[in-house]
Amino acid sequence: MKRRTFLAHSCGLATVTAASSILQLGLARSVAAQGAGDYRALVCILLAGGNDSFNMLVPDDSDQYGQYQSIRSDLALPRDALLPLAGTADSGRRFALHPGMTGLQQLFAEGDAAMLCNVGTLLEPFDAQALAAGTAAAPLGLFSHSDQIQQWQTAISDQRSAQGWGGRMADLLQGPNPSNGISMNISLSGNNIFQSGSTVAEYSVTPQGDGAIGLNGYNDGSNVGELRRQFIDSLLGARPGHLLRGEYRDRLAGSIEAQQYFVQAMQSAAPLATVFAEDPLSTSLRQIARIISVREQIGAPRQVFFVTVGGWDHHDELLNNQAAMLPAVSNALLSFRNALRELGVARQVTTFTTSDFGRTLTSNGRGSDHGWGGHHIVMGGAVNGGRFYGTYPEIYPGSPLDVGRGIYAPTTAVEEYFAELALWFGVPASDLDTVLPNVARFYDPASADLPLGLLA
């Protein structure tokens, strides 16, 4: 084989999915003065497309169910099929889950899950009069998939940003460490804004096998593969005189070393006794549990995981689609909780959902359209579970929250939601505005009270 042909085959081996790993510098550092016993992790599940959460969490008091049934028309779930949740909201109201979410019903009853009601992107605290008068400030690109999914990841609703609040959190808590190059932020869904900071990027892994993404053919074990490996190693062993070539060489070498380090750690993971289903979310959460089990080998006192579950833009066939998809989310969460208990870290891991937006309560015929406020799930041993947080809107004609077609404005800002998670994770209150630039509009970081009281 000619040298140029061999180079063409060998030096273009980086896969697209490995891009974020190749761009990694040595980013992992322990949070100052914290050891393995202080481990904490956040797991963000993005329900991409805009989950119709008014059919995930349904009012179960008779008058409000009647209003729900009236406005939802053909999209309303039969009341006798709903799964009642124990307890009531502070207002005394009762709620129930979608019929397919038995796993979440169990988690709620056992105090390991809570429901956060009517949360969304806001520029200022909700003001019904200003909204009615048309003087309320609205988030940039409201109802737009691309803008709203970005704002949920950046927690900045008045401008577009390439940095997410998970990335800014990692910038704050994690600095350079040349030891292994494995980021605090680990993604099972590739590149994303949420985990991207100014110095920290996500470390992308796959839900299968040992997870780490390497160079094609570098570790294939064949005679040609071994020759390829030796040749690449010899190239990486030479120090280029050109500055950019040297930087590329360092990053590529660091990526290879990180991949090998990660694989070695994962191969030491003991098999999980907990059984997971084989749907995409379940396989991703099983892999996250495996990564958490080798956190000490990786040297990670803090980790943030990200996984996307797509397909929630149900303009059509809402009932059939949710009947298939919501049970998968519910069962995956239950299995993940069980795996975390098995590992003895249930109190140290908090899982939460996000989405582009809620959806219209009115039907478009067989589905619903883009909305605004919606409901979300928070799960973990540190969650003050079995409770409802935020305010589930009362559904009635002429509600000041209804901005048209059953689009209900949120009454809890994403900043309050994320501030609760960030503070629990270990972000100092004095640095909260670094992670969430607009948090002071909704919550005083100097307050002795938590934003929502979700987490202990």
Side-chain angles (χ1 to χ4, degrees):
M1 185 181 291
K2 292 183 180 179
R3 181 175 181 274
R4 182 170 297 178
T5 303
F6 188 85
L7 281 169
H9 283 280
S10 300
C11 296
L13 295 172
T15 64
V16 173
T17 53
S20 65
S21 297
I22 289 175
L23 291 175
Q24 290 284 334
L25 292 170
L27 292 172
R29 177 175 66 88
S30 296
V31 178
Q34 294 177 359
D38 193 54
Y39 174 80
R40 290 192 178 189
L42 289 172
V43 180
C44 176
I45 300 173
L46 169 62
L47 306 179
N51 176 36
D52 191 322
S53 54
F54 280 93
N55 265 20
M56 180 179 76
L57 184 65
V58 180
D60 197 33
D61 24 2
S62 58
D63 59 335
Q64 279 296 292
Y65 175 81
Q67 295 284 10
Y68 155 87
Q69 186 179 43
S70 175
I71 193 171
R72 298 243 75 179
S73 61
D74 63 311
L75 302 180
L77 298 167
R79 189 178 182 194
D80 59 2
L82 297 174
L83 302 176
L85 292 176
T88 62
D90 290 342
S91 61
R93 297 179 58 194
R94 302 186 65 86
F95 301 98
L97 290 172
H98 184 279
M101 304 192 80
T102 54
L104 181 57
Q105 183 189 38
Q106 178 181 337
L107 290 166
F108 189 91
E110 294 176 359
D112 282 333
M115 304 301 299
L116 178 56
C117 304
N118 202 32
V119 60
T121 57
L122 288 168
L123 289 184
E124 58 191 13
F126 176 76
D127 184 330
Q129 292 182 336
L131 191 66
T135 59
L140 180 69
L142 189 58
F143 314 134
S144 155
H145 279 297
S146 59
D147 285 301
Q148 293 303 297
I149 203 167
Q150 182 183 90
Q151 289 169 32
W152 270 84
Q153 294 183 71
T154 64
I156 299 175
S157 300
D158 50 2
Q159 58 182 293
R160 296 180 177 92
S161 173
Q163 294 181 6
W165 67 271
R168 292 192 292 271
M169 212 164 41
D171 286 340
L172 185 68
L173 299 178
Q174 172 182 289
N177 175 4
S179 64
N180 61 40
I182 299 170
S183 175
M184 182 182 94
N185 289 348
I186 295 180
S187 172
L188 285 90
S189 298
N191 292 35
N192 62 86
I193 295 173
F194 167 60
Q195 294 179 312
S196 178
S198 60
T199 62
V200 174
E202 73 282 345
Y203 187 81
S204 291
V205 301
T206 65
Q208 294 82 29
D210 293 322
I213 304 167
L215 297 178
N216 285 336
Y218 185 79
N219 295 308
D220 68 8
S222 67
N223 291 335
V224 174
E226 182 58 28
L227 182 62
R228 181 187 295 115
R229 178 175 180 146
Q230 292 176 7
F231 185 77
I232 292 174
D233 287 346
S234 70
L235 288 176
L236 294 175
R239 187 71 191 177
H242 192 282
L243 181 63
L244 292 179
R245 290 176 182 171
E247 181 67 18
Y248 180 79
R249 175 259 179 210
D250 291 345
R251 294 193 181 199
L252 182 57
S255 174
I256 292 172
E257 291 172 5
Q259 185 261 346
Q260 293 173 332
Y261 192 98
F262 191 89
V263 167
Q264 185 179 10
M266 291 295 285
Q267 288 176 346
S268 71
L272 288 168
T274 302
V275 176
F276 284 81
E278 295 302 323
D279 60 272
L281 178 58
S282 292
T283 56
S284 292
L285 292 180
R286 177 173 55 205
Q287 187 74 306
I288 291 172
R290 293 184 67 229
I291 296 169
I292 290 173
S293 76
V294 296
R295 61 195 179 279
E296 294 184 23
Q297 291 91 318
I298 294 173
R302 292 287 187 274
Q303 289 180 303
V304 177
F305 297 94
F306 177 78
V307 57
T308 296
V309 183
W312 298 89
D313 193 21
H314 297 149
H315 292 278
D316 193 21
E317 295 297 336
L318 169 69
L319 295 179
N320 290 335
N321 283 319
Q322 284 200 320
M325 296 173 70
L326 286 174
V329 172
S330 173
N331 294 334
L333 288 173
L334 180 59
S335 294
F336 188 50
R337 191 282 306 267
N338 292 342
L340 295 175
R341 282 186 173 181
E342 179 185 340
L343 296 172
V345 292
R347 284 194 58 83
Q348 295 162 278
V349 181
T350 298
T351 303
F352 63 101
T353 63
T354 67
S355 194
D356 316 25
F357 34 60
R359 301 187 77 86
T360 58
L361 273 82
T362 58
S363 171
N364 64 17
R366 295 178 65 87
S368 56
D369 298 321
H370 301 178
W372 194 354
H375 317 306
H376 288 275
I377 304 164
V378 186
M379 183 191 81
V383 174
N384 294 316
R387 296 180 57 188
F388 307 95
Y389 295 84
T391 303
Y392 196 109
E394 292 191 11
I395 300 168
Y396 61 91
S399 166
L401 289 175
D402 190 339
V403 300
R405 296 191 56 218
I407 298 174
Y408 275 69
T411 44
T412 296
V414 295
E415 283 84 357
E416 297 169 88
Y417 186 14
F418 301 153
E420 184 91 11
L421 296 167
L423 289 169
W424 174 83
F425 191 66
V427 173
S430 58
D431 291 320
L432 196 57
D433 60 352
T434 299
V435 174
L436 304 166
N438 297 329
V439 68
R441 300 177 185 178
F442 307 96
Y443 169 71
D444 179 5
S447 172
D449 297 322
L450 291 170
L452 300 169
L454 260 169
L455 292 157

